[in-house]
């Protein structure tokens, strides 16, 4: 390679490497500030100051949703990351994809009783797309596996 | 050793080679796009949760991947322009920017339209959405920077440097859903059997649309680059000859 070209190549590599290192350091410095929500475990660890506005993210615990009020718009449910739970209270209309066992992101603050008072509820969607038939076939397969595992456990 | 690169970089050779190739590429492109879109938007069964809303993904995902791919290609061209001083590479990079910005903007718009019924909001400042918005701004900044210079050479050089700096955003976009908590979902794992999540019946149309969008990008890129070549080589003998032969035909 011609020396002049080699020098240009080094410049290109230097620009690429330099920008990577710079931006990498900035991102490390921001660290958790770039997370769009905190998990219930992080809240329990005291990563959020009392009274501070933040978003909490987790799964809607199975069987935890309670709808009250005239039109069922006073909503209470438990957001969980399977390790820690946080009670969430919200008044308003829920997004269509809000379901038990599904991901949820709520915007609001923790009150003095440790209940999360939400001002906005967002549904988090997973990365799986399939038709209703495939979904029910998958669920049936999982049930069968679970039953087989239980049967295997019962007979030593 | 590098002679072939210079020969391939000859604008005249590029112009001659693409003349016959372009119509075929265009036909294949529209075929792929029509097959993929009709299949995906009309025939794939609705999603078990989102119903018909999920069909936006057939445009959104290929657009997003396309925008990042275009950026990667533009960066390679910028590097080739800087290292070997190949003029054609700069003309191609110049044509990439507007197309990449278009793909990126369409990715953001389609994603936003999907977000409202699914998440409950058009926009959230999470890592994936924000880094994609930055990609759009970088595309626009590259175009603006290039045109801000009076001297075309200085403009090309500045745009090349900015293009290379912007490469750092590509891994950030890709890994944003892994490194941080985001509202945007992670990357789908393509299922291989029809009894799995994301079965082939669901992702195959996206594959066609993706190939179609790549084809569309290249045919548009070639057309733009051919125009740039004619503009920049307008004083050369072969362009003059081409013009006179066109005039004689009329």
């Amino acid at each position: 390679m011609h020396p002049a070209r080699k020098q240009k190549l080094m410049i290109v590599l230097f620009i690429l490497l330099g920008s990577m290192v710079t931006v990498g350091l900035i991102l490390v410095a921001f660290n958790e500030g770039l997370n769009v929500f905190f998990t219930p475990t992080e809240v329990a660890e005291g990563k959020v100051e009392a009274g501070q506005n933040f978003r909490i993210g987790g799964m809607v615990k199975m069987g935890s949703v309670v709808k009250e009020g005239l039109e069922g718009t006073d909503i209470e449910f438990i957001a969980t990351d399977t390790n820690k739970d946080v009670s969430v209270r919200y008044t308003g209309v829920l997004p269509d994809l809000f379901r038990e066992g599904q991901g949820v992101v709520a915007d609001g603050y923790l009150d003095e009783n440790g209940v999360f008072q939400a001002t906005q509820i967002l549904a988090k969607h997973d990365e799986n797309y399939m038709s209703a038939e495939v979904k029910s076939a998958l669920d049936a397969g999982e049930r069968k596996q679970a039953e087989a595992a239980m049967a295997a456990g019962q007979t030593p | 050793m590098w002679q072939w690169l210079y020969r391939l970089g000859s604008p005249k050779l590029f112009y001659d080679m693409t003349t016959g190739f372009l119509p075929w590429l265009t036909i294949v492109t529209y075929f792929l796009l029509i097959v993929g879109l009709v299949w995906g938007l009309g025939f794939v069964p609705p999603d078990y949760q989102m119903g018909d809303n999920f069909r936006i993904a057939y445009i959104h995902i290929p657009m997003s991947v396309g925008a990042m791919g275009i950026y990667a290609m533009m960066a390679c061209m910028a590097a080739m322009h800087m290292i070997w001083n190949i003029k054609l590479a700069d003309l191609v990079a110049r044509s990439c920017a507007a197309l990449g910005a278009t793909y990126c903007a369409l990715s953001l718009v389609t994603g936003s339209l999907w977000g409202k019924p699914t998440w409950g909001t058009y926009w959230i400042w999470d890592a994936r959405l924000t880094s994609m918005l930055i990609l759009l701004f970088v595309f626009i900044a590259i175009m603006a920077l290039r045109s801000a210079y009076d001297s075309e050479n200085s403009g090309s050089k500045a745009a090349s440097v900015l293009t290379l700096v912007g490469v750092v955003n590509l891994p950030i976009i890709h890994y944003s859903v892994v490194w941080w908590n985001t509202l945007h979902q992670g990357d789908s794992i393509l299922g291989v059997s029809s009894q799995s999540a994301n079965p082939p019946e669901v992702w195959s149309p996206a594959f066609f649309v993706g190939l179609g969008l790549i084809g569309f990008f290249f045919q548009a890129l070639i057309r733009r680059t051919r125009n740039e070549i004619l503009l920049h080589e307008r004083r050369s003998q072969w362009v003059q000859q081409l013009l006179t032969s066109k005039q004689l035909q009329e």
Side-chain angles (χ1 to χ4, degrees):
Chain A
M1 211 178 199
H2 194 277
R5 305 263 161 275
K6 207 165 203 167
Q7 197 190 357
K8 289 270 177 60
L9 178 68
M10 295 317 277
I11 293 174
V12 167
L13 290 177
F14 178 78
I15 294 172
L16 285 175
L17 208 73
S19 54
M20 295 259 172
V21 170
T22 315
V23 175
L25 286 174
I26 293 172
L27 292 181
V28 169
F30 273 127
N31 193 17
E32 284 168 1
L34 290 172
N35 287 329
V36 83
F37 59 80
F38 289 94
T39 63
T41 305
E42 285 167 340
V43 174
E45 284 168 358
K47 290 199 174 166
V48 187
E49 282 173 48
Q52 184 194 334
N53 224 64
F54 69 102
R55 286 199 197 90
I56 194 164
M59 286 285 197
V60 181
K61 200 171 189 174
M62 288 305 236
S64 75
V65 179
V66 179
K67 289 183 180 174
E68 287 166 340
L70 276 177
E71 284 160 340
T73 50
D74 295 338
I75 294 129
E76 219 183 308
F77 65 92
I78 294 172
T80 178
D81 57 2
T82 68
N83 184 22
K84 289 275 195 264
D85 293 355
V86 170
S87 298
V88 181
R89 210 167 277 160
Y90 173 70
T91 302
V93 181
L94 293 168
D96 288 351
L97 257 74
F98 178 90
R99 258 159 242 205
E100 291 183 349
Q102 287 286 330
V104 70
V105 173
D107 196 354
Y109 62 94
L110 274 179
D111 67 10
E112 53 277 10
N113 303 321
V115 176
F116 191 84
Q117 301 287 348
T119 50
Q120 187 190 28
I121 297 275
L122 300 173
K124 185 163 160 52
H125 189 262
D126 64 18
E127 62 274 22
N128 295 324
Y129 310 87
M130 58 195 127
S131 63
E133 290 89 65
V134 174
K135 174 67 181 166
S136 58
L138 266 185
D139 288 349
E142 265 171 31
R143 267 201 303 279
K144 232 177 233 169
Q145 265 185 353
E147 280 163 15
M150 268 178 63
Q154 278 162 357
T155 49
Chain B
M1 179 186 168
W2 299 93
Q3 281 305 308
W4 61 272
L5 205 62
Y6 290 98
R7 228 175 294 139
L8 204 74
S10 143
K12 182 181 185 315
L13 188 71
F14 178 90
Y15 194 93
D16 291 343
M17 273 169 58
T18 51
T19 307
F21 172 64
L22 196 51
W24 294 106
L25 177 64
T26 312
I27 292 170
V28 172
T29 292
Y30 284 111
F31 173 76
L32 287 167
L33 278 178
I34 289 168
V35 168
L37 288 174
V38 169
W39 186 3
L41 300 184
F43 291 97
V44 174
D47 183 73
Y48 78 106
Q49 283 196 81
M50 290 182 282
D52 286 329
N53 285 340
F54 94 104
R55 297 182 199 281
I56 296 174
Y58 288 122
I59 299 165
H60 173 71
I61 298 174
M63 278 292 177
S64 317
V65 176
M68 290 169 71
I70 291 171
Y71 197 93
M73 177 169 170
M74 188 168 74
C76 291
M77 291 298 146
M80 274 167 70
H81 171 62
M82 279 185 76
I83 299 169
W84 291 284
N85 211 5
I86 299 171
K87 212 157 117 207
L88 179 63
D90 184 50
L91 295 180
V92 173
R94 180 190 302 242
S95 310
C96 279
L99 290 167
T102 311
Y103 274 45
C104 196
L106 283 173
S107 151
L108 288 165
V109 169
T110 51
S112 181
L113 291 176
W114 177 86
K116 185 65 185 172
T118 313
W119 296 336
T121 181
Y122 285 114
W123 186 262
I124 187 169
W125 293 99
D126 84 351
R128 173 55 73 79
L129 275 64
T130 309
S131 57
M132 202 64 187
L133 184 66
I134 290 173
L135 184 71
L136 175 64
F137 289 161
V138 171
F139 271 125
I140 294 171
I142 289 167
M143 288 191 279
L145 185 64
R146 191 189 284 280
S147 58
Y149 283 84
D150 284 334
S151 140
E152 202 164 275
N153 260 336
S154 322
S156 297
K157 259 180 210 154
S160 298
V161 172
L162 182 59
T163 307
L164 290 174
V165 170
V167 169
V168 69
N169 197 18
L170 293 183
I172 294 176
I173 296 174
H174 183 76
Y175 289 107
S176 55
V177 291
V178 180
W179 290 340
W180 301 289
N181 291 335
T182 55
L183 185 60
H184 193 287
Q185 60 267 40
D187 295 333
S188 302
I189 297 162
L190 302 184
V192 282
S193 87
S194 55
Q195 296 300 311
S196 60
N198 308 313
E201 288 83 346
V202 169
W203 59 256
S204 310
F207 191 68
F208 276 82
V209 178
L211 286 178
L213 283 181
I214 292 171
F216 186 85
F217 162 68
F218 274 105
Q219 64 89 21
L221 179 78
I222 289 171
R223 281 172 211 276
R224 292 178 78 96
T225 309
R226 282 162 65 89
N227 288 344
E228 296 277 358
I229 288 173
L230 288 182
L231 193 66
H232 282 82
E233 307 275 311
R234 60 184 177 275
R235 283 182 194 63
S236 71
Q237 213 181 351
W238 71 273
V239 175
Q240 294 291 340
Q241 276 171 356
L242 196 78
L243 287 177
T244 34
S245 69
K246 277 264 160 79
Q247 275 163 355
L248 284 179
Q249 275 173 17
E250 284 164 11

